[in-house]
Amino acid sequence: MTASSTFNTNFKQYLASTKVKGDAIPAGLQELLLAVADTCSTLSHEVAQGALIGLLGSAGTGNVQGEVQQKLDVIANDLLIDGVQACQSLAGLASEEMELPLPVQGTGDYLLLFDPLDGSSNIDVNVSIGTIFSVLKKQDPAAPLQTADFLLSGRHQVAAGYVVYGPQTTMALTLGDGVVMFTLNKVTGEFVLIKHAVEIAHSTKEFAINMSNMRHWAEPVRRYVDECLAGVSGERDKDFNMRWIASMVADVHRVLSRGGIFMYPWDQREPHKPGKLRLMYEANPMSFLVEQAGGASTNGDQLIMDMIPTELHERVSVMLGSKEEIERLQRYHSQA
Ligand code: AHG
Ligand code: MN
Ligand code: MN
């Protein structure tokens, strides 16, 4: 089999030649995104080695979220820090795995947030995992870096994306003017453009949720899923299919690729927490991608992109994907 000659734009060329709403991508943002992509290319190579390089298993440490860290959570975090901290355009970074943001030496004003390794429970069982990233701009470039600099709504993102380490390593990216996808050529180490103008179909017959939490859900979510399960014999008049990979990156990649919805809603297990997923480096970047692909993303009460964060590691209830289904879920929440 030979590679198709239609796939001939690499990530660097894409960034250099693309206009976002008529403007070239700022050189500093190109520098930062290339550094993220290069690091993810390295990480993809490491992920593929798994046990051969001692990558599997627990690190024996915990993070600020109270979660046990896997070795790869720590390795991915370190790789990303090393990969981007020399970027002149970067003012600071924040990660799921670090309590506080890290100032960097750059003179620029970009802020990078990331979930270095998403889907930690899937590492040791060889199921798709990923990296999620979000780029903001520091509002006051001259002031010393503080956590508050990161607490901007998702609407302030200038770029967001993820890299899924699956059978292929694929990156989805938005710069606020649609969504594009690149697949890693593992021979050259370059990401190559495979899709542009990615669109999520407005209607779907596929939903993703961890059904084992059903008894803990709030009534609107239970109503929605009950109706999906009733299929042709119920309210919805069609049969639904269900998927749950337990890596948000892989579940959202499916939604961007063939439609559907993904939910990790609030539930009663820890009622004081708004949800399991984190707003700044999971929900916001995914919501930006989904909106840019014509879908929608809500916490039930408001669009996730409109939420004003109050904490770096804030959690949020997430429902995103095909527009008609998200609107239905919003309706059920407002009726409850
Ligand atoms: P992380 O590995 O970064 O902590 O995120 C895992 C998240 C998300 O990727 C996934 O959708 C969800 O946790 C799975 O949770 P359950 O194991 O509760 O299904
Ligand atoms: Mn995650
Ligand atoms: Mn993670």
Side-chain angles (χ1 to χ4, degrees):
M1 211 188 304
T2 56
S4 164
S5 59
T6 50
F7 299 130
N8 53 14
T9 305
N10 68 31
F11 190 44
K12 190 172 184 180
Q13 291 163 336
Y14 173 83
L15 292 174
S17 62
T18 293
K19 297 255 188 301
V20 177
K21 296 176 183 160
D23 293 327
I25 302 167
L29 184 56
Q30 292 190 39
E31 177 200 23
L32 176 58
L33 292 171
L34 279 170
V36 171
D38 280 351
T39 309
C40 291
S41 169
T42 305
L43 189 50
S44 167
H45 182 74
E46 305 237 327
V47 164
Q49 308 292 306
L52 299 181
I53 55 170
L55 226 66
L56 307 186
S58 165
T61 48
N63 65 12
V64 63
Q65 336 264 337
E67 297 163 341
V68 175
Q69 290 175 305
Q70 300 299 303
K71 284 185 200 165
L72 203 53
D73 289 320
V74 178
I75 291 167
N77 193 54
D78 292 349
L79 268 179
L80 272 158
I81 294 170
D82 287 353
V84 300
Q85 69 179 353
C87 284
Q88 279 308 308
S89 55
L90 191 62
L93 55 86
S95 161
E96 177 192 349
E97 305 302 336
M98 302 188 300
E99 183 176 3
L100 299 170
L102 189 70
V104 297
Q105 306 225 313
T107 49
D109 51 3
Y110 287 108
L111 301 172
L112 178 70
L113 293 114
F114 50 82
D115 175 354
L117 204 290
D118 176 68
S120 303
S121 72
N122 282 323
I123 299 168
D124 288 2
V125 291
N126 200 1
V127 170
S128 295
I129 51 182
T131 297
I132 310 173
F133 59 91
S134 165
V135 182
L136 295 166
K137 266 198 140 181
K138 193 160 172 277
Q139 306 284 289
D140 179 359
L145 187 79
Q146 305 177 45
T147 300
D149 294 325
F150 290 82
L151 303 182
L152 301 170
S153 80
R155 301 266 170 233
H156 285 83
Q157 293 173 103
V158 295
Y162 63 75
V163 176
V164 56
Y165 312 109
Q168 301 112 45
T169 291
T170 295
M171 170 168 57
L173 175 76
T174 184
L175 298 160
D177 197 4
V179 175
V180 284
M181 286 185 186
F182 303 82
T183 288
L184 182 64
N185 176 331
K186 293 190 179 173
V187 178
T188 62
E190 289 175 336
F191 281 94
V192 180
L193 183 67
I194 56 153
K195 260 190 208 175
H196 52 84
V198 172
E199 283 216 26
I200 301 174
H202 285 189
S203 61
T204 183
K205 293 177 169 187
E206 195 161 67
F207 68 97
I209 194 165
N210 185 337
M211 288 288 290
S212 69
N213 298 323
M214 188 169 204
R215 70 187 185 284
H216 306 298
W217 296 335
E219 192 275 329
V221 175
R222 199 186 281 251
R223 172 181 173 194
Y224 175 82
V225 174
D226 277 346
E227 288 177 2
C228 293
L229 296 178
V232 280
S233 53
E235 174 90 4
R236 299 303 306 272
D237 221 8
K238 57 181 178 181
D239 287 331
F240 278 77
N241 186 26
M242 199 204 80
R243 286 285 184 275
W244 186 248
I245 300 174
S247 292
M248 186 191 202
V249 163
D251 279 309
V252 171
H253 188 63
R254 186 190 56 257
V255 169
L256 281 175
S257 302
R258 69 174 189 210
I261 72 161
F262 166 89
M263 294 169 276
Y264 210 121
W266 171 90
D267 67 48
Q268 282 168 12
R269 285 173 299 169
E270 293 181 284
H272 57 286
K273 286 188 185 168
K276 172 175 178 178
L277 299 176
R278 280 60 53 115
L279 176 62
M280 303 297 300
Y281 39 80
E282 291 178 317
N284 268 344
M286 293 312 204
S287 300
F288 193 17
L289 286 163
V290 164
E291 283 196 5
Q292 285 295 317
S297 176
T298 181
N299 70 354
D301 298 326
Q302 68 179 134
L303 298 179
I304 287 179
M305 291 277 283
D306 291 331
M307 295 178 70
I308 312 291
T310 56
E311 283 176 68
L312 188 59
H313 299 286
E314 181 167 335
R315 293 177 190 251
V316 63
S317 177
V318 178
M319 289 159 257
L320 59 78
S322 293
K323 210 168 192 164
E324 286 175 11
E325 300 300 312
I326 299 303
E327 285 169 359
R328 178 179 287 267
L329 271 158
Q330 282 171 315
R331 207 162 59 239
Y332 290 1
H333 278 82
S334 63
Q335 288 166 2

